[in-house]
C-alpha cells in the first residue's frame, strides 16, 4: 500500500459506500482492558480453590499478552503457575466458568470513539460485526456504552459457532442483508488484517484499517483499501 493511502487527512477516493461495518475488540475499545479484568476474575476463582489470587491472575494475564486469540489460556497459565496436570484438570472447569461469566461494568472507549461512531452513523447505516461468545460480546458492548449506536449487531458465533468467525464471510453477508445493501457497497473498519480486511476482500467490500490494539503492528496481509491511526481518522476519511 502506498504512503498516500495512509493517514487521517485524506479523502475517500474509492466508490462511496452505502453502509459501514465496524469491528468491536481493539477497534472501539482496547481489548486489553477486558482481558485484564477477566484475568482478575479467574484469579478470584482460583483463590476459592486455595491458589494465590494475585499470582494466578498475573499468570493468566501473561498468557493473554502472549496472544489473546490462542486457545488453552488457562491451561497454560496453570502450567506456568506450577500446577500438576492432574490437579489442573480439576481446576480448569471452574476457572473457565469464571472467565466466561466475567461481566465488566465499564470498559474504556478509545479517545474520540463515541464521537467518531456518532459522526459515521449520522451519514451511513452502521453495523457492528464481531466474533466471540455472544454473551461476552454483548456484555462488552454494554460496558462500552456503544450498544445503541448501531443499526444492527452481528455476532458471528450466533450464526453457527466458531467456524463462522471472520474471515468467513457469513457475518458480513448478514450485516449487508440487514442493512439492505450489497456487500460490495460496504466499508469495513477494523484492526486485524487477517480478519477484518480479509472478510472485506472476500466479498468485494472496501476496508479501512485502524492501527490500534494488539495487532497495530501486524503486516498488511491482506492490504486494506486505506490505513489510518484510529476510528476518528476513519470517520474523517469517510467524510463524517
Amino acid at each position: 500500500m502506498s504512503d498516500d493511502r495512509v493517514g487521517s487527512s485524506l479523502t475517500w477516493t474509492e466508490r462511496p459506500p452505502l453502509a459501514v461495518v465496524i469491528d468491536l475488540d481493539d477497534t472501539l475499545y482496547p481489548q486489553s482492558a477486558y482481558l485484564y479484568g477477566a484475568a482478575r476474575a479467574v484469579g478470584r476463582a482460583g483463590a476459592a480453590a486455595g491458589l494465590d489470587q494475585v499470582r494466578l491472575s498475573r499468570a493468566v494475564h501473561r498468557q493473554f499478552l502472549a496472544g489473546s486469540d490462542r486457545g488453552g489460556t488457562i491451561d497454560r497459565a496453570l502450567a506456568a503457575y506450577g500446577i500438576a496436570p492432574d490437579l489442573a484438570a480439576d481446576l480448569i472447569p471452574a476457572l473457565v466458568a469464571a472467565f466466561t461469566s466475567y461481566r465488566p461494568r465499564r470498559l474504556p472507549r478509545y479517545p474520540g470513539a463515541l464521537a467518531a461512531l456518532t459522526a459515521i452513523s449520522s451519514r451511513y447505516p452502521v453495523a457492528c460485526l464481531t466474533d466471540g461468545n455472544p454473551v461476552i460480546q454483548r456484555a462488552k458492548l454494554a460496558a462500552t456504552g456503544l450498544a445503541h449506536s448501531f443499526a444492527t449487531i452481528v455476532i458471528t458465533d450466533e450464526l453457527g459457532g466458531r467456524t463462522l468467525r471472520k474471515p468467513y464471510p457469513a457475518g458480513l453477508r448478514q450485516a449487508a442483508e440487514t442493512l439492505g445493501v450489497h456487500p460490495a457497497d460496504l466499508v469495513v473498519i477494523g484492526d486485524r488484517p487477517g480478519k477484518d480486511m480479509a472478510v472485506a476482500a472476500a466479498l468485494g467490500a472496501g476496508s479501512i484499517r485502524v492501527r490500534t490494539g494488539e495487532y497495530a503492528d501486524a503486516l498488511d496481509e491482506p492490504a486494506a483499501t486505506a490505513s489510518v491511526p484510529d476510528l476518528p481518522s476513519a470517520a474523517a476519511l469517510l467524510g463524517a
Side-chain angles (χ1 to χ4, degrees):
M1 183 172 59
S2 62
D3 289 343
D4 63 353
R5 297 168 70 189
V6 182
S8 60
S9 60
L10 304 178
T11 301
W12 183 259
T13 59
E14 307 294 324
R15 183 176 63 178
L18 298 183
V20 175
V21 173
I22 303 178
D23 172 56
L24 171 59
D25 298 313
D26 279 338
T27 298
L28 294 171
Y29 83 102
Q31 184 174 221
S32 58
Y34 171 81
L35 296 175
Y36 176 76
R40 294 186 66 185
V42 174
R44 290 192 293 271
L51 302 182
D52 183 281
Q53 177 176 334
V54 173
R55 185 180 168 196
L56 179 59
S57 295
R58 289 174 177 171
V60 173
H61 193 238
R62 281 194 293 270
Q63 294 304 319
F64 284 140
L65 292 177
S68 64
D69 218 17
R70 301 164 63 196
T73 296
I74 292 175
D75 307 57
R76 293 192 306 276
L78 288 173
Y81 186 101
I83 302 297
D86 56 342
L87 179 57
D90 294 331
L91 292 170
I92 285 172
L95 300 185
V96 170
F99 171 74
T100 56
S101 63
Y102 169 63
R103 301 290 179 268
R105 286 178 292 180
R106 181 181 178 276
L107 287 172
R109 299 183 292 262
Y110 280 125
L114 176 59
L117 183 53
T118 301
I120 294 171
S121 61
S122 70
R123 181 162 183 172
Y124 306 97
V126 182
C128 179
L129 175 62
T130 182
D131 297 331
N133 179 307
V135 175
I136 292 175
Q137 297 307 101
R138 292 190 185 279
K140 290 175 181 176
L141 276 164
T144 62
L146 298 175
H148 300 295
S149 300
F150 298 97
T152 187
I153 296 168
V154 178
I155 301 175
T156 55
D157 286 39
E158 291 181 332
L159 303 179
R162 297 176 63 93
T163 59
L164 297 189
R165 292 183 178 183
K166 296 174 284 186
Y168 196 86
L172 191 58
R173 285 199 186 99
Q174 179 66 45
E177 180 179 345
T178 305
L179 294 173
V181 303
H182 190 276
D185 291 319
L186 294 171
V187 164
V188 177
I189 302 174
D191 67 297
R192 294 187 64 174
K195 282 181 170 280
D196 304 306
M197 280 65 257
V199 73
L203 295 182
S207 60
I208 301 175
R209 178 184 180 181
V210 292
R211 292 186 176 272
T212 47
E214 182 179 349
Y215 295 90
D217 297 323
L219 295 176
D220 286 310
E221 295 178 356
T225 309
S227 178
V228 297
D230 49 29
L231 189 63
S233 302
L237 183 64
L238 290 173

